[in-house]
Amino acid sequence: PKTSPEITDDIIESRKTILHQTVQSILAIVPTGLSQLYPIIEKNYPHKRYDLTTHTEFANNLLYMCTYIPSMEYHVLNIIISNCIEMDVDIVIEDSGQVQLKSNDYDDFDESIDIEKHVDNNQRPSTLNEPLQVIPKEVIELSEKLDAIIML
């Protein structure tokens, strides 16, 4: 049996180059294909549950496409910003300072977290009377995705 080769960064970059060259070639042959590209990009934008790398790579590739298809810039920025806003709106900070997710799109998110059982040294209260707060892992991951996309 054949074993598959390890996928290295060079292989990934090579595939990205081929992909972008293919898109450029198709659009050179069929310029009206650009109107079909917009809904495909929008439909396939990664869901907010996808990992950080998926989000940043997808957004990075869209931004790269704008270098050879400048007319896409408005649409691409609109898609990226709209998805960032959708993720940001899901992070709710209560008046009490409690942080949680608004959306039910996170299957393993448990809204009934017992804070006393999840104390992080970096989140210790400044006084003994101040309540402990743990920021759910999903909220932290969502914030990291937003930060990474904004840094592109």
Side-chain angles (χ1 to χ4, degrees):
K2 275 189 168 179
T3 60
S4 60
E6 183 178 328
I7 297 179
T8 63
D9 288 343
D10 289 339
I11 292 172
I12 292 171
E13 284 305 312
S14 172
R15 289 179 181 175
K16 283 183 193 177
T17 301
I18 292 168
L19 172 72
H20 287 288
Q21 288 171 345
T22 303
V23 170
Q24 283 177 301
S25 298
I26 291 171
L27 292 175
I29 296 168
V30 186
T32 57
L34 188 57
S35 64
Q36 298 300 310
L37 193 55
Y38 297 141
I40 292 170
I41 290 170
E42 203 160 19
K43 181 182 177 198
N44 290 291
Y45 199 92
H47 189 273
K48 56 192 159 200
R49 285 185 286 182
Y50 282 46
D51 63 45
L52 174 70
T53 303
T54 301
H55 277 272
T56 55
E57 286 299 316
F58 196 89
N60 228 351
N61 279 302
L62 291 180
L63 293 170
Y64 182 72
M65 286 175 72
C66 292
T67 64
Y68 59 86
I69 313 171
S71 62
M72 278 188 62
E73 188 173 301
Y74 173 80
H75 188 72
V76 163
L77 290 175
N78 187 35
I79 290 172
I80 292 171
I81 291 169
S82 295
N83 280 280
C84 284
I85 290 171
E86 186 180 316
M87 285 190 277
D88 187 52
V89 167
D90 269 0
I91 300 172
V92 178
I93 302 174
E94 306 283 334
D95 290 339
S96 65
Q98 183 70 27
V99 180
Q100 62 184 358
L101 291 179
K102 178 174 104 176
S103 172
N104 292 330
D105 288 341
Y106 293 85
D107 299 331
D108 59 344
F109 180 64
D110 181 12
E111 292 190 37
S112 60
I113 292 177
D114 182 1
I115 291 176
E116 298 296 327
K117 292 181 181 177
H118 304 300
V119 178
D120 183 354
N121 288 332
N122 296 327
Q123 296 175 333
R124 293 221 181 264
S126 56
T127 68
L128 293 177
N129 295 331
E130 190 176 322
L132 297 175
Q133 177 186 358
V134 171
I135 299 173
K137 180 181 103 177
E138 292 81 3
V139 172
I140 293 170
E141 288 174 355
L142 200 56
S143 320
E144 288 173 350
K145 291 172 196 172
L146 286 168
D147 291 346
I149 292 171
I150 289 170
M151 295 303 291
L152 294 175

